[in-house]
Amino acid sequence: MPKKRTAGERSIDPASQQILIRADELGLDTAFSRADAMAACPIGMGRSGLCCKNCFMGPCRLTKEGQVGVCGATASTIAARNMARAIAGGAAAHSDHGRDIAFTLLAAAEGEAQGYQIRDTVKLQAVARHYNIPAQGKTTAALAKEVALKAIAEFGQQTGQLAFVQRAPNKRQQAWKRYGIVPRGIDREVVDVLHRTHMGDDQHPEHILKGALRCALADGWGGSMIATDLSDVLFGTPAPKVGQVNLGVLAGDEVNIVLHGHEPTLSEMIVAAASEPELIAYAQSKGAKGINLAGICCTSNEILLRQGVPSAGNFLNQELALITGAVEVMVVDVQCIMQALPNLAGKFHTKFITTSPKVMIEGSLHIEFDERRALDIAREIVRVAIDNYPNRGPVVIPDDVEDIVPGFSHEYINYMLGGSYRASFRPLNDAIMAGRIRGVVADVGCNNPRVTQDKSHTWLVREFLKRDVLVVQTGCGALASGKMGMVTGEAALEYAGPGLREVCEATGMPPVLHMGSCVDNTRILTVLAQMAQEGGLGDDISDIPAVGLAPEWMSEKALAIGAYCAASGACVIFGLASPVEYSGEVTRLMEEVWEKELGGKLLFASDDETILQRSLEHIDRKRAALNLPVYDPSRFGRSGDARMRALRALPLEARAEALYGGVK
Ligand code: SF4
Ligand code: MSK
């Protein structure tokens, strides 16, 4: 009989625990209870074997030493193929998101995208420079059209290299050339992996993984980077904003619309529609006080960063939001949307609306997104929600809500550290070189109901802060820290070690920087590239004392991110378990051969203490290789700037205003 975990074992978040208890009382299933009922397959997860289903001579399950598949495929070949296909799946999802944004930019430039405008012309010019497109003498619309067409062409490019590859340090580009993994075209690299892993093709584990790395780079320095950059052009480059997070953002007396998925395109229009006076008046005519928007997952991160729309939480909050009974409409676009949602919505009054031409789920209302009528579609969805408000039954909304200050784009970090006239990463590099900051950790990625929600993310973030490690976050990891009140800057200072605190107090930089959604991990690549180019920390990303973590990962996209970060020179550590554990050869390739060839590696560790220790070892090894002083916290903490201490006495809005200059 599988063990049923208590609410406290399922999540560390009190709001989640409260709603999980309600789910049990109402007899409702969630991902948590389904995970309890369904043990993970030890072969599928690579612990006790490997499974290949690439052809119908199988599926072949390899569970004994030396066993091979019907075609003769070895455990290493199968493990490498499975890993490569997962990376290609993740890269395809991210990159297709980028393609959709590029088409929206094109439509906006041609005046055919209702409600959209080009909000950041400075970013548009920066992206044009990366594409070697001259901006002089062109209207914004003409330049945006050229940029959009160039971005779209990157997907179908067959030869040469992706344009954004040149944004990496020179040494990194040389490493990719030497190892033969420079990405040629985005779609080409995804297709290449699917082809080479078909039955009877590439059966050399290292060669298969080289294809996977090239595909991952086509995501990190291609599709995802396009998604981030063009979203900034269309919707504005993020700067710090005060927001709120957790299930307590749902309103008891307003029409609640929850926006879930990943793309900002439709959700930005729903934000615009929900603030229209006619629709607010219509909501009031139905007895509601107003219209309340809340996000889930990375759509949430997108609109939280740019619009300050509150977040109802991360991946595992999606079902819990519905179980409050307070959601009139949940609107989804793409990725990380559980199929259980429409059925669960049906237990309440909630309408569940799919909108992507790529995503239909039985039991949902499908209102298809079309950028030419985006604002009208957004208004239609808001009306559906308002009309549904009178049908609301009993509601339980947890009180839990925390302030959060997200929006640390690499442009803003640059400005924050160097000022408007000398934007620079110099102060950050100097602080690492002096040992005030020991190193940098990127804690990113998902929740997974097989482990306690948010526990690994938040424990690791606190432990790193204590040891003077600066933390950057994206995706569901950032929302996990947000729910624990650790993304308001000043709050996290309570945990920060003496050197890190000193730097943060002097510069106003929070010790935990929320940089965006899953595709925005490319912002982290840009920061690392610029730190390498700034000088003092070597001349490549692999020289920087930095580690990437995904301690609660679950998606193929997480593996694609891990692979492109490793190929970019980072040490990347994933939690839970290794999907290639059964193959010592593939494990060795990803840890040792990648490190030798590329300076980065991807490894798996099943407990948080090991993740912490291996990360610190890596950071200290990189410090030693750069001849930097050995990390010694006793040297710091006596200077700093009393400004932050005084600011901490102020309410959050006033603090943010003083620190980040007029954020709203
Ligand atoms: Fe089995 Fe080979 Fe077919 Fe995989 S490709 S299912 S190992 S026969
Ligand atoms: S939403 S990919 S659960 S981070 Fe980007 Fe969260 Fe992971 Fe989805």
Side-chain angles (χ1 to χ4, degrees):
M1 191 67 182
K3 178 183 179 288
K4 184 181 161 198
R5 293 170 298 168
T6 63
E9 289 168 326
R10 289 173 171 178
S11 177
I12 60 159
D13 173 8
S16 294
Q17 291 169 5
Q18 184 184 344
I19 298 298
L20 283 167
I21 291 166
R22 174 167 160 84
D24 281 348
E25 285 165 0
L26 297 175
L28 298 173
D29 275 346
T30 62
F32 298 91
S33 59
R34 292 189 293 273
D36 286 349
M38 185 185 295
C41 167
I43 300 167
M45 69 185 269
R47 179 145 285 172
S48 322
L50 285 163
C51 176
C52 177
K53 51 183 176 60
N54 288 16
C55 87
F56 209 55
M57 291 189 284
C60 298
R61 281 165 303 144
L62 274 50
T63 54
K64 296 188 196 78
E65 186 72 32
Q67 197 179 9
V68 295
V70 172
C71 68
T74 62
S76 301
T77 295
I78 291 171
R81 283 199 304 221
N82 289 349
M83 178 58 107
R85 284 199 160 211
I87 289 169
H94 279 150
S95 297
D96 210 34
H97 170 165
R99 185 197 328 262
D100 286 344
I101 302 284
F103 274 105
T104 304
L105 178 63
L106 179 62
E110 291 176 332
E112 287 176 4
Q114 186 198 24
Y116 296 98
Q117 51 184 299
I118 287 143
R119 291 222 188 109
D120 193 338
T121 52
V122 175
K123 182 90 183 215
L124 174 65
Q125 289 177 10
V127 180
R129 274 195 298 280
H130 291 309
Y131 281 146
N132 292 321
I133 299 172
Q136 220 179 0
K138 289 178 188 154
T139 62
T140 297
L143 187 61
K145 183 173 176 177
E146 270 192 71
V147 164
L149 287 171
K150 172 64 184 158
I152 290 164
E154 297 266 277
F155 289 86
Q157 185 171 294
Q158 303 301 319
T159 55
Q161 66 175 43
L162 293 176
F164 289 170
V165 162
Q166 66 187 343
R167 291 164 72 169
N170 283 335
K171 219 170 149 187
R172 180 73 357 214
Q173 294 179 47
Q174 294 313 317
W176 292 338
K177 273 198 189 108
R178 262 199 318 276
Y179 202 48
I181 57 168
V182 179
R184 296 157 292 188
I186 299 165
D187 293 350
R188 176 162 188 184
E189 304 311 349
V190 175
V191 170
D192 178 290
V193 169
L194 294 181
H195 180 187
R196 75 171 61 203
T197 54
H198 184 273
M199 191 272 150
D201 280 312
D202 199 354
Q203 286 155 66
H204 185 288
E206 184 180 1
H207 197 247
I208 292 167
L209 291 177
K210 273 168 107 167
L213 286 175
R214 199 176 203 178
C215 177
L217 287 173
D219 174 10
W221 297 85
S224 276
M225 206 169 259
I226 288 172
T228 295
D229 280 356
L230 300 194
S231 294
D232 287 354
V233 170
L234 269 171
F235 307 117
T237 300
K241 256 196 171 8
V242 178
Q244 293 195 306
V245 60
N246 215 340
L247 292 167
V249 304
L250 295 171
D253 51 6
E254 295 183 54
V255 174
N256 287 309
I257 302 175
V258 173
L259 307 156
H260 172 26
H262 278 76
E263 295 181 349
T265 31
L266 177 60
S267 48
E268 283 273 346
M269 287 304 113
I270 292 178
V271 174
S275 58
E276 290 181 350
E278 307 76 55
L279 284 170
I280 294 170
Y282 185 50
Q284 287 163 346
S285 77
K286 299 281 180 182
K289 283 217 173 118
I291 304 168
N292 181 49
L293 301 183
I296 291 273
C297 272
C298 283
T299 291
S300 173
N301 280 318
E302 297 278 357
I303 49 180
L304 173 66
L305 290 180
R306 296 196 179 88
Q307 308 292 348
V309 172
S311 170
N314 46 9
F315 178 66
L316 285 176
N317 279 36
Q318 60 186 281
E319 291 176 293
L320 308 184
L322 297 187
I323 298 171
T324 63
V327 178
E328 273 60 54
V329 155
M330 179 178 269
V331 196
V332 301
D333 48 43
V334 293
Q335 302 166 21
C336 302
I337 300 151
M338 292 190 194
Q339 191 172 348
L341 290 171
N343 184 39
L344 185 59
K347 310 276 186 208
F348 301 90
H349 74 304
T350 308
K351 302 246 186 249
F352 185 80
I353 302 179
T354 50
T355 58
S356 167
K358 282 172 276 229
V359 177
M360 281 198 151
I361 308 176
E362 214 171 315
S364 24
L365 174 64
H366 189 73
I367 302 180
E368 194 151 303
F369 174 67
D370 175 352
E371 64 250 342
R372 288 167 303 180
R373 301 193 305 109
L375 196 51
D376 287 341
I377 292 167
R379 288 179 183 130
E380 183 186 343
I381 289 170
V382 173
R383 279 183 175 275
V384 170
I386 294 169
D387 287 336
N388 198 23
Y389 181 74
N391 300 325
R392 197 187 268 191
V395 159
V396 173
I397 301 175
D399 292 333
D400 306 77
V401 59
E402 288 289 341
D403 290 323
I404 183 168
V405 182
F408 290 86
S409 55
H410 53 266
E411 287 88 347
Y412 189 83
I413 298 173
N414 222 322
Y415 158 75
M416 173 179 67
L417 292 172
S420 7
Y421 297 106
R422 250 191 79 253
S424 160
F425 280 92
R426 193 70 254 155
L428 177 57
N429 282 22
D430 285 345
I432 294 173
M433 289 164 69
R436 282 189 171 82
I437 294 179
R438 186 175 184 174
V440 181
V441 155
D443 177 275
V444 308
C446 325
N447 288 142
N448 188 319
R450 299 218 170 272
V451 292
T452 310
Q453 183 192 19
D454 299 341
K455 186 177 173 199
S456 298
H457 283 300
T458 51
W459 185 82
L460 284 163
V461 168
R462 280 198 202 105
E463 295 303 311
F464 283 118
L465 292 177
K466 277 189 218 162
R467 291 162 177 81
D468 294 294
V469 175
L470 177 70
V471 177
V472 298
Q473 293 203 274
T474 61
C476 291
L479 295 175
S481 297
K483 285 192 277 175
M484 296 300 134
M486 286 155 58
V487 191
T488 57
E490 304 74 51
L493 276 181
E494 306 301 331
Y495 303 107
L500 176 62
R501 193 165 56 238
E502 203 172 278
V503 175
C504 293
E505 286 175 349
T507 62
M509 174 178 70
V512 179
L513 301 171
H514 182 328
M515 296 186 72
S517 63
C518 327
V519 292
D520 292 337
N521 283 304
T522 63
R523 296 191 201 277
I524 299 174
L525 290 182
T526 305
V527 167
L528 291 171
Q530 292 186 357
M531 284 171 74
Q533 280 148 2
E534 181 66 42
L537 294 176
D539 48 12
D540 194 358
I541 292 171
S542 55
D543 297 328
I544 298 171
V547 177
L549 307 178
E552 299 180 29
W553 72 284
M554 63 86 198
S555 82
E556 291 177 326
K557 291 181 294 164
L559 289 173
I561 294 165
Y564 74 60
C565 287
S568 300
C571 167
V572 180
I573 309 179
F574 274 44
L576 282 115
S578 166
V580 298
E581 193 174 333
Y582 194 66
S583 168
E585 170 63 359
V586 171
T587 303
R588 187 187 71 82
L589 285 167
M590 296 196 313
E591 289 190 24
E592 294 172 26
V593 175
W594 287 6
E595 182 156 47
K596 178 170 150 275
E597 300 288 347
L598 299 162
K601 57 187 166 186
L602 176 57
L603 49 113
F604 295 82
S606 56
D607 70 285
D608 296 339
E609 188 63 49
T610 306
I611 294 175
L612 176 70
Q613 290 314 326
R614 291 198 73 167
S615 303
L616 294 171
E617 278 162 29
H618 180 85
I619 285 171
D620 290 344
R621 217 171 26 248
K622 290 293 172 185
R623 291 189 63 85
L626 290 165
N627 288 320
L628 299 181
V630 173
Y631 167 68
D632 174 9
S634 69
R635 291 171 56 215
F636 301 109
R638 284 177 292 278
S639 61
D641 187 336
R643 186 176 65 128
M644 186 69 88
R645 265 163 267 153
L647 284 171
R648 258 185 265 165
L650 299 173
L652 181 72
E653 294 266 353
R655 253 181 291 160
E657 173 74 25
L659 279 167
Y660 311 124
V663 297
K664 291 189 199 67

